Amino acid sequence: MSINPAFMRRLIVIFALATLVLTALAAPAQTVQLSVDTSKTGAKIDRNIFGQFAEHLGHGVYEGIWVGPDSKIPNTRGIRNDVVAALKAIKVPNVRWPGGCFADGYHWRDGIGSADKRVVRLNPDWGGVIEPNTFGTHEFMDFIDQIGSQAYVSVNVGSGTPHEAADWLEYMTAAQPTTLQKERAANGHPAPYKVSFLGVGNESWDCGGNMSPDYYLSHYKDYSHFVRNYNPAQEHGKDQMLQFAVGPGGDGQRWEEWTDTVMKGYQHHSWSWDLNGLSLHNYTVGDWVNKFPSTGFGETEYAKVLKITLEMDGLINRHSAIMDKYDPEKKIALVVDEWGGWYAPLPGSNPGFLVQQNSLRDAVLAALNLNIFARHADRVRGANIAQMINVLQAMILTDKEKMVLTPTYYVFKMYVPFQDATFVPVTFDAGKYVHGDVTLPRVDAIAAKDTNGKLWLAITNLDPNQSVDIDASLAGITAKSASGQILTAPKVDSINTFDAGNTVVPKAITAKVQGGKVTLNLAPKSVTVVSVEQ
Ligand code: AHR
């Protein structure tokens, strides 16, 4: 009897799928014991680790934020109202702007003054498109104000000068009637702006000027001294502007040398220059040539991407260890001001616009990174996901008047209570999730007490096939109830689209509480945040 090979193949596939489904159904949920001792608190989880990044790139700024005052899209002074409302809800602590690589070609004077006289340039880094400069300093500050955030301004080191950057800061922050202050007032803003964070260049080892660490350090010293913030409200105390140097872009000797050079330089710093943070850029990419797709993938790509994501922890450990040599008191923050999944551009999109979709996988990726930053709260005091709207791992996607919130957006929303919360150590046996040659922890968890003393748990179940029972014992408090939200979806590559925006949205979850123990059943591939009432 001859068997048709196509029929045989179909039979094998059906058999394999049936086995998978049956295994998943039959397997009891794994139980993970979690111990939280609320009397042992750690560092403050700086709210600035939930920062965003808005570069003049693709439709990140133009269309994403700025539609112009004459647009039919509802806006306030040219800034989209729908986007502002969505961002307000996630309490964005700071926005890094104008780049990225764009920052080292940006000349601030191009973006001030009457809209019809703005200098029109090209954007050679990102698609070679027209940069109209209609979104400049005043529009950025208005946007920051509308969403209730703080400005993280990156000044141009690669093709600019300390003089140009110093003038920009004086223009933004001077309160006294200097020529630049008067120019700002004439352009509509007499009161000084606040600049909370100053980035001195961007990736100066690459698109920001291909500098060696020593060469960069000597530039940094000049900028640090001459680029001053004159806003009287920022002169002293907690509102003082913090200055960040370009830091490493990965793992390995080249990057360790970079960190070492800047930190050693700082050890010998004098009154005339300072350093408050060292930036770190690290994307979840894999192969830069053959990037992972952002849609239409399966468990293999899910597992591989998360494995790469978890490398963030080792990277932070290694660079922190170098920083510890020169700064054991951890005065200088490590600021991961570019992170996130970087996938292949969506077919048909301009490859220079870095357009990608955002799936449940990205929600898990975001939660894992935020947990890593929280565990390093004593050193990591800033981070900016790349990027806020329509670019890379975005919070929001827009298409003309339409807007959709991504799975990553919902993770940032669920994690709001962790902003400025105090880290509480959690111990647990994470177990294993194995797929092919990838082994990952089955669960990841953090805990923290918010500014009102309430306990919050964030738990991620990485396993896309098995649910997990969490059995949490909480020393130091008597739990009465616990509830919150869980984010999951049918598939690892489930996405929200303009037509179906609610595929990956959080749902309410309630824990069972007995004898002070909190028990939660977490769906496969999910992110959960609960608060505990006592
Ligand atoms: O986020 C996109 C780009 O990635 C940034 O402009 C640059 O700093 C990094 O290489």
Side-chain angles (χ1 to χ4, degrees):
M1 186 183 78
S2 72
I3 297 178
N4 177 334
F7 173 73
M8 200 55 199
R9 274 198 299 275
R10 221 171 293 148
L11 215 61
I12 292 171
V13 171
I14 291 169
F15 181 73
L17 282 176
T19 317
L20 266 179
V21 170
L22 287 176
T23 321
L25 288 179
Q30 310 286 317
T31 301
V32 171
Q33 310 286 344
L34 213 116
S35 303
V36 186
D37 184 350
T38 60
S39 65
K40 295 200 180 97
T41 52
K44 183 175 95 171
I45 302 169
D46 197 312
R47 69 191 169 112
N48 287 303
I49 68 164
F50 299 92
Q52 302 281 332
F53 173 31
E55 178 166 14
H56 287 234
L57 192 175
H59 296 305
V61 168
Y62 298 108
E63 295 192 23
I65 298 173
W66 180 257
V67 286
D70 300 330
S71 171
K72 285 199 191 101
I73 298 172
N75 68 83
T76 302
R77 294 179 293 278
I79 295 164
R80 292 181 76 123
N81 293 345
D82 52 355
V83 164
V84 167
L87 293 172
K88 265 172 125 169
I90 58 171
K91 298 194 189 304
V92 176
N94 74 79
V95 181
R96 179 171 181 254
W97 175 83
C101 296
F102 181 82
D104 282 295
Y106 184 64
H107 300 286
W108 66 275
R109 281 203 161 277
D110 295 348
I112 59 164
S114 68
D116 56 334
K117 298 216 174 54
R118 300 273 171 103
V119 177
V120 177
R121 292 192 187 272
L122 295 176
N123 187 338
D125 286 308
W126 304 118
V129 293
I130 290 284
E131 166 54 62
N133 276 307
T134 39
F135 190 88
T137 302
H138 290 256
E139 291 75 21
F140 171 67
M141 291 297 187
D142 189 10
F143 169 61
I144 289 299
D145 201 43
Q146 289 189 36
I147 65 168
S149 192
Q150 302 176 101
Y152 174 178
V153 174
S154 287
V155 292
N156 180 343
V157 174
S159 67
T161 60
H163 184 172
E164 183 189 10
D167 277 359
W168 191 14
L169 262 286
E170 184 185 325
Y171 178 84
M172 288 190 279
T173 63
Q176 300 194 57
T178 67
T179 303
L180 285 166
Q181 185 278 337
K182 287 190 205 159
E183 189 178 0
R184 187 190 68 228
N187 285 332
H189 207 274
Y193 289 119
K194 269 192 180 173
V195 178
S196 301
F197 308 104
L198 183 81
V200 179
N202 168 77
E203 298 193 353
S204 304
W205 29 262
D206 186 30
C207 69
N210 281 297
M211 301 176 189
S212 69
D214 283 316
Y215 187 68
Y216 172 75
L217 181 64
S218 62
H219 276 66
Y220 178 84
K221 291 177 186 174
D222 281 351
Y223 277 74
S224 172
H225 179 65
F226 293 108
V227 182
R228 295 163 204 233
N229 186 320
Y230 295 100
N231 188 330
Q234 296 194 265
E235 264 170 9
H236 301 289
K238 73 180 175 77
D239 270 343
Q240 207 163 345
M241 181 178 79
L242 303 182
Q243 300 180 338
F244 300 155
V246 167
D251 238 342
Q253 203 192 341
R254 175 187 176 201
W255 302 117
E256 286 174 14
E257 269 172 31
W258 188 283
T259 301
D260 198 79
T261 306
V262 177
M263 291 303 296
K264 197 189 284 168
Y266 168 74
Q267 203 187 25
H268 302 295
H269 82 290
S270 69
W271 66 270
S272 64
W273 68 281
D274 205 357
L275 175 68
N276 309 109
L278 184 72
S279 129
L280 166 70
H281 288 185
N282 182 46
Y283 287 95
T284 297
V285 189
D287 181 345
W288 280 99
V289 179
N290 295 305
K291 298 195 191 76
F292 290 107
S294 61
T295 55
F297 57 85
E299 189 172 346
T300 301
E301 293 86 350
Y302 169 83
K304 284 186 177 167
V305 163
L306 296 187
K307 186 173 166 32
I308 300 166
T309 293
L310 289 171
E311 289 167 10
M312 177 72 89
D313 188 51
L315 189 63
I316 292 174
N317 276 329
R318 286 182 281 283
H319 288 289
S320 289
I322 300 170
M323 294 174 83
D324 284 349
K325 278 202 297 179
Y326 305 104
D327 173 33
E329 290 170 23
K330 299 189 195 294
K331 287 189 184 148
I332 298 174
L334 188 60
V335 180
V336 190
D337 55 12
E338 286 189 29
W339 67 273
W342 187 323
Y343 308 125
L346 283 184
S349 67
N350 182 336
F353 283 12
L354 312 185
V355 181
Q356 60 190 45
Q357 245 297 355
N358 196 296
S359 65
L360 178 66
R361 176 180 66 185
D362 294 297
V364 175
L365 183 160
L368 294 177
N369 273 305
L370 293 171
N371 294 353
I372 292 169
F373 302 152
R375 279 193 280 268
H376 287 282
D378 57 348
R379 179 65 88 181
V380 177
R381 298 196 289 274
N384 299 74
I385 189 166
Q387 299 195 5
M388 189 157 60
I389 305 161
N390 292 331
V391 177
L392 298 176
Q393 189 175 343
M395 304 293 112
I396 296 173
L397 303 176
T398 66
D399 179 16
K400 302 187 183 66
E401 76 289 351
K402 293 187 213 151
M403 177 187 89
V404 68
L405 306 176
T406 66
T408 302
Y409 172 89
Y410 288 113
V411 170
F412 273 70
K413 193 163 183 207
M414 289 160 68
Y415 271 67
V416 164
F418 288 86
Q419 295 198 12
D420 282 345
T422 305
F423 186 78
V424 176
V426 186
T427 50
F428 56 97
D429 176 358
K432 279 184 189 148
Y433 152 57
V434 183
H435 180 76
D437 57 358
V438 177
T439 301
L440 298 172
R442 169 166 284 132
V443 295
D444 189 33
I446 58 162
K449 272 189 196 168
D450 70 16
T451 39
N452 297 316
K454 186 186 271 190
L455 182 70
W456 291 83
L457 302 174
I459 311 165
T460 297
N461 178 6
L462 285 78
D463 193 324
N465 306 309
Q466 310 254 336
S467 65
V468 168
D469 281 332
I470 298 291
D471 227 346
S473 54
L474 315 174
I477 61 169
T478 310
K480 291 226 172 74
S481 64
S483 59
Q485 292 193 309
I486 181 164
L487 185 68
T488 186
K491 298 189 293 163
V492 285
D493 64 340
S494 292
I495 54 174
N496 292 334
T497 63
F498 297 113
D499 299 324
N502 291 328
T503 307
V504 196
V505 290
K507 304 222 161 49
I509 186 170
T510 309
K512 251 190 7 216
V513 181
Q514 225 169 20
K517 265 203 167 185
V518 173
T519 309
L520 274 163
N521 179 262
L522 304 185
K525 50 179 166 26
S526 62
V527 179
T528 300
V529 173
V530 291
S531 67
V532 179
E533 298 295 335
Q534 44 177 318

